[in-house]
Amino acid sequence: MLTSNKLNIFNMDLRDLENFFISMGERSFRAAQIMKWIYHKHVIDFDTMSNISKLLREKLAKCSELRLPEVVSELVSKDGCHKWLIRIDNSNCIETVFIPEIDRGTLCISSQIGCPVDCSFCATAHQGFNRNLTTAEIIGQVWLATNSLGGYTHGGNRIITNIVLMGMGEPLLNFCNVVKSIALIQDDLGFGISKRRVTLSTAGVVPALYRLRDISEVSLAVSLHAPYDKLRDELVPLNRKYPISELLKACNYYIAGKPYRRITWEYVLLDGINDSVQHATALAALLKYIPSKINLIPFNPFPEARYRRSSPETMTRFRDVLMKHGLTAITRRTRGDDIAAACGQLAGEVQARGRGRRTSQVF
Ligand code: SAH
């Protein structure tokens, strides 16, 4: 990897950029100017930024840069999903996925190289963990995807309408860089995606949920996968540290006083493990008093997986039990599985650190 001492402007949100210009003896409005070039006009060459004087452009080029990770490959699935393999450094690549639907286009971005959370049904977990992505590497995925999809709009409509932090990694274990990336995604001077269209998915890092609520406006998806601690301890080992009752308390706090907010719960249906009528009934009881939507996710297999997908009948039965209890539940359609771009199949290339390949002791 080429290293550089220059400040990467992709690591800065509006406030950072304003401070950066002030520290150079320049006026703070330069921050808005440069953000418009980068995020609206998609220009990352200082010399093209015609409303910035030649002198300032030279000054900028001396101490800063606009450096993005590199797209190694792009695959397009039969159902129109795109998956990019993005090189972060010599030994690590991450994956980013675009999922087009009739009324929206969702970009699923990664927040870490690999993942330390070690959920037993997830391909990323089997890769181990290397490090957190920088803001530039997170926001760079949105920039590169936009670029490769041919720009922001098509026929007057936005191409990427929604962003989900549901790719590789646990976003709340990379708190500062993720919060800054969300700010750039939502800022009108950045990608300008409305608050409700940006969703962060977490396995349930409880203290970070309390912090997040007070500093960011992002919709929350929580990977629950089990209604009991004993089972969730096995599926999502983070549960041993933050059990279901604490997670629910934090989620209630997250939506309190925010009328439009509800929690999206993710529940991967694993054959014979968490998919019985009893599980569904317990789940309904657990979520009775919290504004919820439940996404039932068919398990997506990967080579080392020790689980099987529940049958369509079992999935329907599970959903019906939830609906009978008055909950909103949908079965998520599997997209992009022919290019291993579906939920939990993202693997990239991860040079795991620490003892063995798995490093769940990180949290
Ligand atoms: N760490 C975050 C975000 C990444 S995982 C989290 O846990 O939420 C994104 C979603 O994909 C999670 O709900 C996760 O549980 C789900 N997922 C992981 N592996 C899967 C698999 N093999 N099949 C289906 N969904 C899976």
Side-chain angles (χ1 to χ4, degrees), residues 115 121-123 165-167 169-171 201-203 223 225 266 268 297-300 302 343-344:
C115 186
F121 51 85
C122 178
L165 283 124
M166 274 187 200
E170 169 48 55
S201 177
T202 179
S223 296
H225 309 311
E266 293 162 282
V268 178
I297 311 175
F299 171 65
N300 294 310
F302 53 92
C343 279

